[in-house]
Every structure is written in C-alpha cells, then in structure tokens.
Amino acid sequence: MKKILPVIILCLIMMLALVGCGTNAPASGTADTKGKANKDVLKISVAAQNNSGQVFQYMAEARGFLQEEGIDVNMVYINNVTDALTALSGGKVDVLSTYGTGGPLIQIANGQDFTIFGGYMIIGETPIYGKRETEWKNLESFRGKKIGITRGGTADTVIRGILSEAGLLNDVTFVEYKKNQEVLQAIAAGEVDFGGTATGHQLQAADLGLDVKMWPDEYWPNHSCCRMLATSAWIKDEKNQEALYRMLRAYLRAEEAMQGNKDEVVDLVVKKLDLDKPTVTSFVKSEHMKYDSDPFKNSVIKMWDRMIKFGYIKENNIPIAEHINTSIYKKALESLIKDYPNSQFFKDKLVQFNQNNA
C-alpha cells in the first residue's frame, strides 16, 4: 500500500495539471482570433444574375472569409428578375442580390413583403447607347427621340427618373424589349435612336457600331442599383439574422480586400462565370461601376419617390422605410471596426453609413 500511494498521488497531480491547462483554451463558439470564430456553420442561398459577377462572394471565398465567419453561401444563378422574385417569395432561395432596385420596389408596392438589408452595387454600369453618328449633347438631345429599354431594369428606371426630373419624360417615346441584346440590335437597325442596357454589354455594343452617349450616374449619383433583399418573415427569424450578419461581415471584408486588387477580382469573375476577360474587365474596372454593400436607405427611398412620380408605382400608403433593415449591416460593420481597429476602410464605411441611412 505504501508503494501504491505515491503512484496514486502522482496520477492525481497529473490530472489536476491537465484540467488546469484546459481552462486556458477558448470556449466552443468564441472567437480565438479576429474573424476566425469557432462557430457552427450556417447556410444561406443567394440568387444572382450571372452577367455582372458576384464579386464579394468570389473574393470572400478566395480569401477564406466565409469559412472564418461560419457561413456557407450557396449561389443560385437566375437571369430573369421575375423568376428570381418568384423564387424568393416561394422560399426557393433566401436572398436576392443583383436584380436592381426598381423591380423589388414594384413588388413591395404590389403587396409583397420584402425587406432590403444590404447592397451589391449602388451604381451599375448601365449606359445609354446610340449609333456613333447620332448626336447627343445633353438631356435635350433625347427630346422627340425613341429610347429602347428592358422594362423594370435599372437602366429603365434610372433614365425615366432623370428625364422626369428634367421635365422631358413626356417628350420621349420608350420602346420595350425583353432582352438587352435586343435593345442593342434595335439601335443598330435604326428602330430606336438610343437604348439603355444592364451591365456588361459595352463590347457587344462597340461591335455593332454603337457608342456610349450618356452615363446615368453622372446625372443621378448613387441612384441605387442592385440591393440585397429577403422576405420580411424570413429576416424576422433570429437564426437567419445571424446568417445575414455573418455573410455581411464576410462581404465587407471582401469589399475591403478588393480595394487596389481589381485584377484579382477580374480573374475570379472570369473563373466563376462564362464570361471572357475583356468583357469582365470592361465593367469591373469601370469608373461607372460602384460595388458597395451598404444598404443606402436614402437612395432606395429616393428611387421609390421617383418611381411614384413617373408612374411605375401607384401612390400608396406603404411606408417604404419599414421595408429597409439597416441594423444587421450596421452590427456587422461595427463588429469589424472592433475586431480590426486599424482598418481605415471600415471606419470610412461607418461614416458613409451614417450619411446614407439616416
């Protein structure tokens, strides 16, 4: 017994030592390093069009931000906005990303309970084209002319808003087409004098002998292009709010990483989508394309008011501000400022947030 006792005491000492070591380990679910939390992974599905690139997603994947934030994003590519909105309202996808602002606002005006919570582009590369020989000096050049558009697209709603503010809306004839390519063909064939398209058609337009005549963002800065939205009922669930919070953290980190790294962004988009490098370069590096994850509440409300003015939305009592959630984005941004206090980018984003979401 005397020989066994020291062995027992030694074992007890070793067990206590192991327990003591264990108390210094991070608890499950707590962050052990900045942005690298040990969390259960949440899943979310995001629908987008495949003609302009889901750049935050691609950069977040490439840099490992999604994994670090504990979020698994499943991309679903749907090129028709009507089909995308149907998929969202039917619960087939959780979030819509690159479908403009006008279409979702029309759906809200018609009774769909959608909520905008973030952004993808605040301005998109949506120029107005014309034949090279067609004269264009200023907005007065549109008077008495035909403009081809795809109804409800960003180019459509923005040019109508600009012409409405200039008092020229009734002096222009709009001709509607189903596809952006049809708009370009119509200009080239002389069916219309001008035409607006979605992002990514500059090279096709040039091949048809068309030039950019007008950039809408020069007349309507931050006009609100692609917003991120979900159904209001889905967002009310706390687990879904946590999923959006994690995704926005990853996307904000990706947005920061994109600064000064546009060549990497181009390569990622080319790799992910069936687009050639010259086409991707034409819009990713365009000064008229502004990727931004901020909800831009004020810009959305301005778009809503202008759409009422030019008749796309009937005057109603819907409080559009109640369909814009800025709190999840703000929480994600403030948490990143706390985790990365030396990041001037996140500090600047908070200044921008306060200016555009008051």
Side-chain angles (χ1 to χ4, degrees):
M1 184 67 181
K2 291 180 180 179
K3 293 181 180 180
I4 296 174
L5 187 60
V7 175
I8 294 173
I9 293 172
L10 179 60
C11 289
L12 288 171
I13 291 171
M14 291 176 67
M15 289 173 65
L16 289 171
L18 286 171
V19 171
C21 291
T23 59
N24 293 324
S28 176
T30 61
D32 48 3
T33 57
K34 295 175 183 177
K36 298 178 181 177
N38 179 21
K39 310 181 182 82
D40 292 332
V41 176
L42 297 179
K43 295 185 177 183
I44 192 169
S45 59
V46 176
Q49 300 189 69
N50 65 359
N51 62 350
S52 59
Q54 196 71 356
V55 293
F56 298 156
Q57 173 69 20
Y58 304 153
M59 183 66 86
E61 285 179 346
R63 297 294 182 94
F65 299 150
L66 295 170
Q67 183 178 6
E68 291 174 7
E69 298 296 342
I71 186 71
D72 179 8
V73 179
N74 175 41
M75 293 303 307
V76 180
Y77 293 105
I78 306 173
N79 282 347
N80 183 291
V81 63
T82 302
D83 291 343
L85 289 164
T86 299
L88 180 63
S89 60
K92 302 297 183 182
V93 295
D94 301 319
V95 170
L96 297 194
S97 179
T98 55
Y99 297 96
T101 302
L105 290 184
I106 290 172
Q107 291 293 313
I108 292 171
N110 290 338
Q112 287 284 6
D113 198 5
F114 295 148
T115 293
I116 293 168
F117 64 86
Y120 217 88
M121 301 171 224
I122 187 58
I123 59 172
E125 197 204 35
T126 55
I128 303 299
Y129 297 102
K131 288 184 178 180
R132 290 186 180 131
E133 61 270 24
T134 299
E135 182 181 63
W136 193 89
K137 293 182 178 180
N138 51 44
L139 294 179
E140 282 290 332
S141 299
F142 287 133
R143 190 184 293 275
K145 299 298 194 297
K146 294 180 179 180
I147 301 178
I149 50 86
T150 56
R151 186 176 179 85
T154 299
D156 177 28
T157 54
V158 173
I159 190 62
R160 287 181 191 270
I162 291 170
L163 292 176
S164 177
E165 291 300 301
L168 291 169
L169 191 62
N170 295 328
D171 297 303
V172 170
T173 300
F174 285 96
V175 182
E176 298 179 6
Y177 297 89
K178 292 182 178 180
K179 298 179 180 179
N180 291 290
Q181 291 84 351
E182 293 175 358
V183 173
L184 296 177
Q185 293 288 345
I187 304 169
E191 295 176 13
V192 295
D193 302 289
F194 301 97
T197 71
T199 298
H201 295 280
Q202 269 204 70
L203 299 186
Q204 296 175 44
D207 288 342
L208 290 170
L210 310 180
D211 284 343
V212 174
K213 299 297 182 178
M214 173 239 193
W215 289 103
D217 60 283
E218 294 179 350
Y219 289 85
W220 186 354
N222 292 338
H223 50 242
S224 186
C225 185
C226 298
R227 304 292 83 201
M228 288 197 286
L229 62 145
T231 65
S232 301
W234 186 88
I235 286 183
K236 288 177 182 178
D237 184 278
E238 290 186 3
K239 185 176 181 180
N240 295 336
Q241 290 180 29
E242 174 66 18
L244 292 179
Y245 164 76
R246 295 183 190 184
M247 184 179 74
L248 287 171
R249 271 185 58 101
Y251 281 5
L252 275 162
R253 294 173 67 190
E255 189 178 342
E256 180 186 40
M258 284 171 55
Q259 309 309 304
N261 292 303
K262 291 296 179 65
D263 286 335
E264 181 181 356
V265 176
V266 168
D267 290 341
L268 287 170
V269 175
V270 170
K271 181 180 178 181
K272 292 287 186 178
L273 302 179
D274 187 22
L275 296 173
D276 60 82
K277 191 167 185 176
T279 295
V280 175
T281 301
S282 73
F283 63 79
V284 167
K285 292 189 174 184
S286 172
E287 63 181 2
H288 300 282
M289 173 74 91
K290 183 181 177 183
Y291 295 104
D292 203 307
S293 55
D294 192 298
F296 271 89
K297 176 181 176 181
N298 296 344
S299 291
V300 174
I301 293 174
K302 188 172 185 178
M303 173 71 82
W304 173 268
D305 291 340
R306 287 195 176 185
M307 289 178 72
I308 290 175
K309 186 175 180 180
F310 63 71
Y312 264 23
I313 295 175
K314 293 181 179 180
E315 193 77 49
N316 56 59
N317 296 321
I318 295 174
I320 188 59
E322 293 182 8
H323 290 266
I324 307 170
N325 181 316
T326 62
S327 62
I328 302 173
Y329 176 87
K330 184 180 181 183
K331 177 184 175 183
L333 179 56
E334 289 179 337
S335 70
L336 288 170
I337 292 173
K338 182 179 179 180
D339 287 347
Y340 303 94
N342 295 326
S343 171
Q344 188 60 46
F345 177 82
F346 294 139
K347 294 175 184 176
D348 291 343
K349 290 289 289 184
L350 183 58
V351 172
Q352 175 188 281
F353 173 84
N354 291 330
Q355 292 172 341
N356 292 294
N357 296 276

